[in-house]
Amino acid sequence: MEAIIVAGGLGTRLRPLTVTTPKHLLPVAGTALVAHQLAKLAEAGVARVVLATSYHADQFEPELGDGRTWGVELSYVTERELLGTGGAIRNAAAHLESAADDPVVILNGDILSGHSLEAQLRHHETASADVTLHLVEVPDARAYGCVPTHDGRVTAFLEKSPDPVSRQINAGCYVFRRSVVDDIPAGRVVSVERETFPCLVAAGALVLGHLDQRYWIDVGTPAALCRASADVVRGVAHSAAFRGVPGEAFVAPDATLAAGASAYGGSSLGAGVTVAAMAVVDGSVVASGATIGEGALVVDSVVGPGAKVGAGVVLREAVIGDQAVVGDGCELVAGARVWPGHQLAPGAVRFSPDV
């Protein structure tokens, strides 16, 4: 069985982390986000995966190799121009070996899900469906397009609305009949959500919704990245790609947590990270090679590769880009972001009146 992972997006909501790195390679519990998807596919019996890349495409293969680490055969295809979700899928189809009636799994590359892909595949094959979508039900669907169904059959794909008719939303994992992939127009921008799926429904194709309420998150913002990583570290979300033991923190084998320092709340400390004495890291992602200074407090924040956070710094819901320097005594809160390579002088930024 084969799969395509759509991994060409720019990740603008995750900047400055994605200025230098595609969002699909950002660390989640010490492992690239997309690696969790590769491991999930392998668990479901997928043998070959085509990774559809575009933005910073040259970084994927050095990081992921041939896929054997996660139990799949991995190949790469690059869009020279962004083609949308449907266009990316069609562009990758040339690398598939499946027959026309075979199932092909399609994943959005920024999703972390605990749903049963095996059950979704059985649902699809038992019904001889053209497409089967993983759906989740959310408390408030106004921020999403909704996907109403009748007796399991998708009846419409509706844009965001102040009064959605359903709380079911598209969860970004599909099983396609291979021939349906080949019917997507080639060489142009195509959205599966706005064009492919609505056209299939209008034409009477069998498009099914597979509702599964297990763990699901769209890893599209720094807050979501922290949450997803913490959930994997703590064992709230299962991933076969996680190399640690579920608990309060993941600390890479060559990371250093000094005496008196602490990491908890599902924090992840990547390779070569150094956390100095009396520093606290809570619910945060600290990427490889970063340094956290003495007495610093890092809460619900992301610290990029090679960044330096000085002594006594306070970070709350902050994002520090690659190789950036936050000088001693700075206080960055409520979504503050420092771009890669920039330096803040000691005490230069404060969000409280004390000195």
Side-chain angles (χ1 to χ4, degrees):
M1 186 161 38
E2 295 183 295
I4 296 171
I5 299 177
V6 180
L10 301 178
T12 53
R13 293 180 296 162
L14 281 157
R15 289 176 182 166
L17 303 171
T18 50
V19 171
T20 53
T21 304
K23 62 181 175 179
H24 316 88
L25 294 182
L26 293 176
V28 170
T31 302
L33 170 59
V34 73
H36 296 282
Q37 296 186 322
L38 294 173
K40 182 178 183 68
L41 290 167
E43 283 188 317
V46 173
R48 295 188 68 251
V49 179
V50 180
L51 193 62
T53 69
S54 181
Y55 181 64
H56 286 314
D58 60 317
Q59 295 187 25
F60 286 91
E61 191 165 2
E63 175 75 19
L64 302 173
D66 61 8
R68 290 181 187 175
T69 299
W70 298 279
V72 297
E73 176 189 333
L74 183 60
S75 61
Y76 303 84
V77 60
T78 301
E79 300 169 59
R80 300 306 172 190
E81 298 179 4
L82 289 174
L83 297 171
T85 49
I89 292 166
R90 182 65 179 85
N91 188 55
H95 292 253
L96 296 175
E97 298 175 357
S98 305
D101 286 334
D102 288 345
V104 177
V105 179
I106 312 289
L107 283 175
N108 288 349
D110 52 3
I111 297 298
L112 189 67
S113 172
H115 88 289
S116 172
L117 180 53
E118 297 92 331
Q120 184 181 354
L121 281 159
R122 286 195 300 271
H123 187 180
H124 176 85
E125 294 183 290
T126 299
S128 295
D130 293 301
V131 181
T132 303
L133 295 85
H134 174 210
L135 304 179
V136 294
E137 196 170 77
V138 296
D140 185 354
R142 287 178 296 178
Y144 307 89
C146 68
V147 185
T149 57
H150 179 71
D151 291 335
R153 189 163 184 159
V154 173
T155 58
F157 288 83
L158 303 176
E159 297 290 335
K160 295 177 185 179
S161 165
D163 189 23
V165 301
S166 171
R167 292 192 291 122
Q168 294 179 162
I169 66 168
N170 174 7
C173 177
Y174 323 117
V175 183
F176 274 70
R177 187 191 302 271
R178 164 63 195 273
S179 59
V180 176
V181 174
D182 292 335
D183 287 340
I184 297 172
R188 68 171 177 86
V189 175
V190 181
S191 165
V192 289
E193 300 85 357
R194 294 184 177 87
E195 182 176 346
T196 304
F197 293 151
C199 287
L200 286 168
V201 170
L206 184 54
V207 180
L208 298 179
H210 179 79
L211 187 64
D212 189 324
Q213 286 297 103
R214 276 170 279 201
Y215 184 91
W216 177 85
I217 189 169
D218 173 2
V219 189
T221 65
L225 180 69
C226 286
R227 178 182 159 194
S229 184
D231 286 345
V232 173
V233 169
R234 289 175 134 177
V236 175
H238 164 75
S239 173
F242 179 49
R243 301 308 187 196
V245 176
E248 281 300 298
F250 168 76
V251 180
D254 60 350
T256 301
L257 195 64
S262 58
Y264 51 83
S267 291
S268 176
L269 309 182
V273 164
T274 299
V275 181
M278 308 310 294
V280 173
V281 182
D282 178 7
S284 297
V285 175
V286 183
S288 60
T291 300
I292 309 298
E294 184 175 351
L297 176 63
V298 181
V299 181
D300 297 335
S301 298
V302 185
V303 180
K308 299 183 183 302
V309 175
V313 165
V314 174
L315 303 179
R316 294 185 185 273
E317 300 177 5
V319 184
I320 311 303
D322 303 15
Q323 306 296 327
V325 176
V326 181
D328 297 354
C330 285
E331 183 182 14
L332 303 177
V333 304
R337 305 186 187 204
V338 180
W339 248 239
H342 285 262
Q343 299 187 21
L344 298 181
V349 179
R350 300 285 298 174
F351 277 75
S352 57
D354 59 309
V355 294

